[in-house]
Amino acid sequence: MRPQSFGDVTIHRVLELEGPFMLPSEVFPNATAEALEPDMHWLLGHAICPDTGKLILPVQSYVVQTPDHTILIDTCVGCGKTSGLPDWNDRDDDTWLRNLAAAGFTIEDIDFVFCTHLHTDHSGWNTRLLDGRWVPTFPNATYILSKTEVDAFAAKDAPSYRENVLPILEAGQAQLVETDFALNDSITLIPTPGHTTGHVCVQIKSGGKTAIMIGDVIHSPIQLAHPDWSMVFDDDMDQAAATRIKLFEGLCDTDTLVLTAHLPSPSAGRLTGHAKRPYDFKYVEQD
Ligand SMILES: [Zn+2]
């Protein structure tokens, strides 16, 4: 995605990785070959890798530059983390930091960090290892975290909590908020439970226009054809589907710029209706 400007904000995408992830049937229990077949002509090459048959899935962040603040939304996998997924375990790859710099930002520039949720691919660069200790990556940032989400991950004592969240709390850099928190007139959270219990979208308004980072409300273009298909990592699959359909109904055929975590590059665009399936996604221009 090229940087997108409207009103007095500019939104940059910062990619960490993009590639074949898992087979559709491993991610979506309903994704049998028969069920996918009617859509394969547009999914193959775009959403499904022709060589491996796996989903094409990026992991990425967005940086929102406003006149007052530099705001980071989601922090990818990071380095040296215990993700639980072989491809993401103990990564030693600073691509994300280099891409942040290429977008024009240093770690000191970030004023606020938002996490749509606390899974390992959305909270990893919250922290980095310094002299054997996890410390906040962004020394000047306040991390805005859903209290519901933090409590749920604390109860699970997941590695992503110990590595990505606890060091932020201990450093006194976290602000725990309700899932409908507003930072100001421009930046607000929208509660979107299902994928996780405290999952939020981040809405950005400026100059009469709106963008929304929808996190893991959607994982693949397959769900444009099957918005009722939830995925295996959804905490509550029924709630995730209901949340997705409600959100999509509100966004469909509007001018709102939709920023996704995991739709293939360029990953951002506008949600529209489609004659043959519930939704289509009109992507913005690639880099
Ligand atoms: Zn994710």
Side-chain angles (χ1 to χ4, degrees):
M1 174 190 99
R2 291 180 181 171
Q4 303 287 310
S5 295
F6 55 93
D8 54 14
V9 305
T10 300
I11 303 176
H12 304 256
R13 184 175 81 125
V14 179
L15 188 69
E16 182 173 57
L17 58 95
E18 181 163 23
F21 177 62
M22 291 164 71
L23 293 169
S25 58
E26 295 173 324
V27 174
F28 302 107
N30 295 327
T32 61
E34 296 74 27
L36 287 178
E37 199 281 326
D39 295 294
M40 283 306 275
H41 66 279
W42 65 274
L43 290 172
L44 205 62
H46 165 55
I48 297 175
C49 170
D51 298 330
T52 63
K54 295 181 176 180
L55 296 175
I56 297 169
L57 181 133
V59 174
Q60 57 202 334
S61 310
Y62 294 90
V63 177
V64 182
Q65 182 71 69
T66 79
D68 303 320
H69 301 302
T70 304
I71 298 165
L72 174 63
I73 306 175
D74 281 359
T75 63
C76 300
V77 177
C79 281
K81 297 301 170 80
T82 310
S83 76
L85 289 173
D87 286 358
W88 295 349
N89 263 348
D90 204 25
R91 277 169 56 84
D92 179 18
D93 183 335
D94 66 352
T95 300
W96 184 86
L97 280 178
R98 285 185 284 106
N99 285 343
L100 181 71
F105 303 101
T106 67
I107 54 175
E108 289 82 10
D109 289 338
I110 304 299
D111 299 309
F112 292 99
V113 176
F114 286 83
C115 293
T116 58
H117 63 298
L118 293 176
H119 280 160
T120 189
D121 56 323
H122 298 259
S123 60
W125 279 109
N126 278 6
T127 59
R128 60 185 174 133
L129 265 185
L130 202 63
D131 300 328
R133 282 183 53 234
W134 293 111
V135 299
T137 302
F138 311 100
N140 302 319
T142 299
Y143 291 66
I144 308 282
L145 303 173
S146 148
K147 184 177 185 318
T148 305
E149 187 78 350
V150 169
D151 288 349
F153 276 70
K156 281 192 273 190
D157 196 29
S160 67
Y161 177 76
R162 273 176 270 128
E163 296 172 351
N164 304 344
V165 181
L166 198 52
I168 306 301
L169 301 177
E170 289 174 347
Q173 285 184 237
Q175 182 178 347
L176 302 185
V177 302
E178 302 301 321
T179 52
D180 60 355
F181 170 78
L183 179 67
N184 50 40
D185 289 345
S186 176
I187 312 285
T188 51
L189 300 184
I190 301 195
T192 39
H195 181 61
T196 60
T197 180
H199 188 285
V200 292
C201 296
V202 182
Q203 182 174 264
I204 304 124
K205 283 181 180 286
S206 186
K209 296 200 182 280
T210 306
I212 184 169
M213 163 53 170
I214 65 168
D216 279 9
V217 170
I218 186 169
H219 287 82
S220 167
I222 289 173
Q223 290 164 296
L224 300 171
H226 300 281
D228 57 328
W229 285 10
S230 288
M231 60 97 75
V232 292
F233 300 135
D234 289 334
D235 277 352
D236 182 329
M237 294 173 81
D238 290 340
Q239 188 182 37
T243 287
R244 181 168 38 259
I245 290 165
K246 181 177 173 211
L247 186 73
F248 282 12
E249 282 302 299
L251 293 173
C252 189
D253 296 319
T254 71
D255 188 44
T256 298
L257 176 65
V258 179
L259 313 164
T260 73
H262 296 307
L263 292 192
S265 287
S267 305
R270 287 175 175 80
L271 200 68
T272 65
H274 191 279
K276 294 195 177 138
R277 54 179 182 270
Y279 303 107
D280 203 356
F281 199 75
K282 289 206 179 340
Y283 290 89
V284 298
E285 283 182 67
Q286 183 59 288
D287 298 325

